[in-house]
């Protein structure tokens, strides 16, 4: 029996998804016990499991419909329900609208996952759409929402941990999840062969920072992620305006962008497909009007026809 069809192999990605679900719910239990450090760590660990299960399923050729549905349900609980309850138990319960804010985060995570499942079946999306997420993914949105708690664990109480600040930040995080802002997908990241060694050194430094100063790395990583969003929007808009590079590898796309800037080429005001469609529509209307004018009798022809019908009578 091939390894890709072995029952144990097919079970492995779903087992990782269940671990993500258990890790996310365990964060709530730790927060109830007053262990905020373990609560944040559980949500982060659930994010790691969530990043592994899909890649593991594709690597082992063990993708299935039940696995996709289980992954969505796990994400909704681990990155919607659990962070909302953690924030409510920590700070939002001091506000009269604190529970409403927690519900906003849960509903936004559910809507974001529902839209993700819908867009995965979209056959009309441009070829480069797989390089981006629509909105902030649920795991990243949950970690962004927990940033005030992580900051308090690093610096102690402050303005960042007041209930009003936490409520506003939570609503903003929920808005990022349900927004249509394009964000970069790690699935499209390719490390060049020459950069493998530096990348491994960077991974080692990150691992050391997680062990030594985890809550110093947390806000730095979140700020770096939020800072990449304007670049992701620019990159998405540029690709939308240049369909000639949709099937070009990313390294060659960068060369094309540099050439455009060097030559001073201005991008079209509207995406090229829309401009072509608009020009075709205008040309079609002109052709229809011209044919209509030709088929319509003019004044001279109309007079000739009248004279022929009435003889020499005026």
């Amino acid at each position: 029996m091939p390894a890709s069809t072995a029952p144990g192999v097919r079970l492995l990605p779903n087992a990782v998804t269940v671990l993500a679900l258990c890790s996310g719910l365990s964060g709530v239990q730790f927060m109830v016990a007053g262990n905020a450090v373990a609560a944040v760590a559980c949500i982060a660990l659930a994010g790691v499991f969530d990043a592994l299960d899909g890649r593991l399923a594709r690597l082992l050729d063990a993708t299935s419909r039940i696995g996709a549905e289980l992954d969505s349900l796990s994400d909704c609980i681990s990155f919607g329900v659990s962070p909302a309850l953690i924030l409510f138990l920590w700070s939002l319960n001091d506000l009269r609208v604190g529970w409403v804010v927690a519900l906003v985060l849960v509903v936004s995570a559910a809507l974001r996952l529902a839209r993700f499942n819908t867009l995965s079946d979209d056959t009309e999306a441009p070829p480069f759409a797989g390089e981006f997420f629509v909105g902030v993914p649920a795991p990243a949105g949950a970690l962004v929402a927990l940033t005030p708690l992580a900051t308090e664990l690093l610096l102690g109480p402050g303005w960042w941990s007041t209930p009003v600040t936490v409520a506003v930040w939570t609503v903003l995080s929920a808005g990022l999840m349900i927004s249509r802002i394009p964000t970069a997908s790690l699935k499209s990241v390719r490390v060049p062969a020459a950069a493998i060694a530096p990348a491994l050194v960077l991974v080692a430094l990150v691992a050391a920072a997680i062990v030594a100063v985890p809550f110093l790395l947390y806000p730095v990583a979140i700020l770096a992620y939020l800072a990449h969003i304007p670049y992701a929007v620019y990159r998405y808009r540029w690709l939308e305006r240049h369909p000639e590079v949709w099937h070009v590898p990313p390294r060659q796309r960068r060369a094309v962008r540099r050439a455009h800037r060097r030559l001073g080429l201005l991008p079209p005001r509207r995406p090229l497909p829309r401009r072509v469609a608009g020009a075709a529509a205008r040309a079609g209307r002109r052709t229809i009007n011209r044919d209509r004018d030709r088929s319509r009798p003019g004044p001279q022809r109309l007079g000739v026809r009248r004279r022929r019908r009435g003889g020499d009578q005026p």
Side-chain angles (χ1 to χ4, degrees), residues 27-39 89 153:
V28 179
Q29 192 274 333
F30 280 116
M31 197 65 201
V32 171
N35 191 346
V37 175
L89 294 172
L153 294 175

Side-chain angles (χ1 to χ4, degrees), residues 12-21 46-58 63-80 109-110 112-114 116-117 120 133 137-139 187:
L12 187 56
N14 294 337
V16 176
T17 303
V18 172
L19 288 177
L21 174 61
V48 174
F49 285 135
D50 181 72
L52 290 177
D53 59 359
R55 288 172 174 79
L56 198 60
R58 289 187 293 270
T63 57
S64 63
R65 186 64 182 175
I66 187 173
E69 297 296 335
L70 179 62
D71 183 71
S72 296
L73 293 173
S74 173
D75 288 355
C76 185
I77 295 174
S78 298
F79 308 118
R112 192 260 174 274
L113 292 166
F116 175 79
N117 293 338
S120 61
F133 289 117
K187 300 175 184 178

Side-chain angles (χ1 to χ4, degrees), residues 35-295:
N35 191 346
V37 175
V40 176
C42 283
I43 301 300
L45 184 61
V48 174
F49 285 135
D50 181 72
L52 290 177
D53 59 359
R55 288 172 174 79
L56 198 60
R58 289 187 293 270
L59 181 64
L60 299 176
D61 192 20
T63 57
S64 63
R65 186 64 182 175
I66 187 173
E69 297 296 335
L70 179 62
D71 183 71
S72 296
L73 293 173
S74 173
D75 288 355
C76 185
I77 295 174
S78 298
F79 308 118
V81 177
S82 295
L85 290 177
I86 290 172
L87 291 172
F88 181 79
L89 294 172
W90 169 55
S91 179
L92 293 178
N93 58 354
D94 295 331
L95 291 176
R96 296 182 61 181
V97 295
W99 182 244
V100 176
V101 174
L103 290 178
V104 168
L105 183 61
V106 176
V107 173
S108 298
L111 290 175
R112 192 260 174 274
L113 292 166
R115 184 174 62 188
F116 175 79
N117 293 338
T118 302
L119 292 177
S120 61
D121 299 330
D122 187 7
T123 58
E124 299 181 356
F128 64 88
E131 303 176 17
F132 299 90
F133 289 117
V134 180
V136 173
L143 295 176
V144 170
L146 292 175
T147 302
L149 176 56
T151 305
E152 184 186 67
L153 294 175
L154 174 65
L155 302 176
W159 61 267
W160 47 83
S161 59
T162 59
V164 175
T165 303
V166 174
V168 173
W169 184 263
T170 302
V171 172
L172 291 176
S173 302
L176 287 176
M177 283 195 283
I178 62 175
S179 69
R180 301 196 66 86
I181 298 174
T183 57
S185 172
L186 293 179
K187 300 175 184 178
S188 61
V189 175
R190 298 292 183 269
V191 180
I196 291 179
L200 292 176
V201 173
L202 181 62
V203 170
L205 292 176
V206 170
I210 291 175
V211 175
V213 283
F215 291 105
L216 176 60
L217 181 66
Y218 191 106
V220 171
I222 294 300
L223 289 176
Y225 179 80
L226 294 177
H228 104 282
I229 294 180
Y231 172 73
V233 173
Y234 162 76
R235 184 169 163 236
Y236 186 93
R237 301 296 182 227
W238 189 88
L239 287 171
E240 193 177 36
R241 294 193 301 265
H242 296 83
E244 69 275 7
V245 298
W246 286 356
H247 299 282
V248 175
R251 295 181 63 182
Q252 297 182 18
R253 289 178 189 168
R254 289 192 291 269
V256 173
R257 285 200 300 268
R258 287 194 296 266
H260 279 214
R261 287 194 295 266
R262 190 180 303 113
L263 297 175
L265 299 177
L266 295 177
R269 295 180 180 178
R270 290 184 295 170
L272 186 58
R274 296 182 184 176
R275 296 183 66 201
V276 173
R282 290 191 296 271
R285 287 196 295 268
R286 286 196 296 267
T287 303
I288 292 173
N289 293 334
R290 185 167 57 250
D291 295 340
R292 187 180 301 166
D293 293 338
R294 290 178 178 176
S295 61

